[in-house]
Amino acid sequence: MQGFGCRVWPSGKKTFVSQYRVAGRERKKTIGTYGVLIVEQARKEAEKYLALARTGQDLAGEERRARAEMSVAELCREYLRHGVALKKGSTVKTDIGRINGHILPLLGRKKISAVMRADVERFMHDVAKGKTAKDRKTEKDRSIIRGGEGTATRTVRLLGGVFSYAITQGYLTANPCAGVKKFPDESNERYLTQDEIDRLGATLTEAETVGLPWHLKDGARSKHRPQAEQDLRERISPHVTGAIRLLLLTGCRLREILHLKWRDVDFQRKVLDLPDSKTGRKVVYLSEAALEVLRALPKVGIYVILGKQPDKPRSDLKRPWERISRHAGIEDVRLHDLRHTFASVQVQRCASLPMIGALLGHKSTSTTARYAHLADDPLRRALNAGSESLTRAMLPKTGDDRASAPSRFSLLRNERNSAPTV
């Protein structure tokens, strides 16, 4: 039947569509998903739109105009059902948190056609000021919703994506988030100095051997404290110290190390073959030091880093990292800063940005470009080394050299006197 077909998406999903023209404008209406509807059901539904189109009626256009009167809350629900197919599960989870925590409380009841740029700007400033911030207890744990400029900027970006979905569906013709000046993203990138790296390494060795000393409050139940020095220390699991070493030696993200399975470690090829990461499948090249750390780790269960249960990954390293970073004197360093430090060390060794991007698993060169400013020092060292001969020739001579060497002014005078007359 002309005007009826099946659209196949890159993901393999198939949808039935009806396509027609009314008053010179082309319309395309999604009828349903293959598997939910059979071909005959979809064909009958398409016939309704095609029959009305022949009489000049645009049923799909009317439906779109009606959709323009949906609320922001309804649009967000539809977006989460149909507009996040290419996003990773962890990203969708974050989107849901921002939608429920910020967008719905402030804009949920508003009709999408009524949302203007001024509304989005007001929304952004309200989130930044903490109007939606909450700290409440749930059955499982605490639910903390934070405000701030960074949260506001990221939430407006998500809102812009939701409205972009509405435009692709034909509900709107303009995005109210376009042109909104957002708060600048704070990089908050911290790079460890060589001295800090040395202190961290010494702390990790101390933590897994003799243990880290307790930090005791004066006068707090002092009579119940252990008397022996060895009992006033806490030994850290070699899996924890090993995880921290791997973060610094590979530049991996925290979840990539905590979720790493032994089957993904290829000692022969000297790589980690990660089936899934933030950017999809990823190969991580291993240095000899990283391989040594992996070989030293006890194999317990399927995960490289042992969690509470051998068949489940460890959830985080918050508590041990707090103890370790405090003892090493780097309390302002996050675990993710170890990834930044890995990149900064590669830059200092004159590795190119494309090479660093490949080591870190970046999909976009713009992501790696954040480390471009770190290349200043190696460039300056190379400049000074390469300019040594130029420096000897160009700088003014001092002492005995000055007497034997002709001055710059005498050279210029001689050159001028010997120049031919025109």
Side-chain angles (χ1 to χ4, degrees), residues 151-171:
T151 299
T153 293
R154 289 185 285 272
T155 306
V156 168
R157 287 195 181 124
L158 169 60
L159 185 62
V162 173
F163 278 112
S164 292
Y165 166 82
I167 292 173
T168 61
Q169 298 301 307
Y171 305 156

Side-chain angles (χ1 to χ4, degrees), residues 33-254:
T33 305
Y34 175 78
V36 177
L37 295 178
I38 62 175
V39 176
E40 287 305 318
Q41 289 173 323
R43 182 180 286 111
K44 288 181 180 179
E45 188 68 21
E47 286 175 351
K48 298 179 184 177
Y49 293 90
L50 296 173
L52 289 170
R54 284 191 285 271
T55 63
Q57 291 182 264
D58 183 9
L59 186 57
E62 292 173 3
E63 290 177 351
R64 284 189 173 95
R65 285 189 289 273
R67 288 294 186 93
E69 294 308 311
M70 68 165 61
S71 67
V72 172
E74 291 169 331
L75 175 62
C76 287
R77 284 195 290 270
E78 181 175 326
Y79 172 77
L80 291 173
R81 287 196 304 270
H82 306 296
V84 296
L86 300 180
K87 289 189 173 185
K88 295 185 69 66
S90 58
T91 305
V92 175
K93 186 177 179 181
T94 302
D95 288 350
I96 292 173
R98 288 175 181 156
I99 287 172
N100 292 335
H102 306 292
I103 296 176
L104 296 188
L106 297 180
L107 295 174
R109 295 182 180 180
K110 202 171 185 67
K111 299 296 183 183
I112 62 173
S113 59
V115 179
M116 300 290 113
R117 175 175 168 178
D119 298 311
V120 177
E121 291 175 343
R122 189 180 306 111
F123 165 79
M124 183 179 68
H125 287 283
D126 285 344
V127 173
K129 293 175 183 176
K131 191 171 182 178
T132 52
K134 292 180 182 178
D135 184 355
R136 61 187 179 188
K137 282 191 175 182
T138 61
E139 293 181 2
K140 293 184 178 180
D141 204 348
R142 290 170 64 194
S143 175
I144 302 176
I145 301 174
R146 306 183 189 279
E149 294 183 357
T151 299
T153 293
R154 289 185 285 272
T155 306
V156 168
R157 287 195 181 124
L158 169 60
L159 185 62
V162 173
F163 278 112
S164 292
Y165 166 82
I167 292 173
T168 61
Q169 298 301 307
Y171 305 156
L172 296 173
T173 58
N175 193 324
C177 296
V180 173
K181 188 174 181 180
K182 305 172 187 67
F183 296 110
D185 272 338
E186 297 294 336
S187 61
N188 291 326
E189 290 176 3
R190 171 77 155 80
Y191 306 94
L192 274 71
T193 64
Q194 187 58 52
D195 178 61
E196 290 173 328
I197 294 173
D198 293 340
R199 295 206 307 268
L200 175 59
T203 298
L204 292 173
T205 301
E206 183 179 352
E208 63 191 2
T209 53
V210 298
L212 298 181
W214 291 4
H215 292 278
L216 303 173
K217 295 180 180 179
D218 295 335
R221 299 183 178 181
S222 56
K223 66 178 181 179
H224 300 294
R225 295 174 184 171
Q227 299 302 313
E229 174 64 24
Q230 63 270 21
D231 294 332
L232 290 173
R233 288 179 170 268
E234 177 186 8
R235 292 183 64 183
I236 306 296
S237 163
H239 286 94
V240 170
T241 55
I244 295 172
R245 288 189 176 103
L246 288 173
L247 289 172
L248 188 57
L249 291 171
T250 64
C252 284
R253 300 177 179 88
L254 178 61

Side-chain angles (χ1 to χ4, degrees), residues 15-35:
T15 55
F16 295 110
V17 296
S18 176
Q19 188 169 338
Y20 57 90
R21 296 183 73 86
V22 175
R25 300 182 64 182
E26 186 175 287
R27 293 294 192 187
K28 185 181 290 183
K29 168 64 180 176
T30 300
I31 304 299
T33 305
Y34 175 78

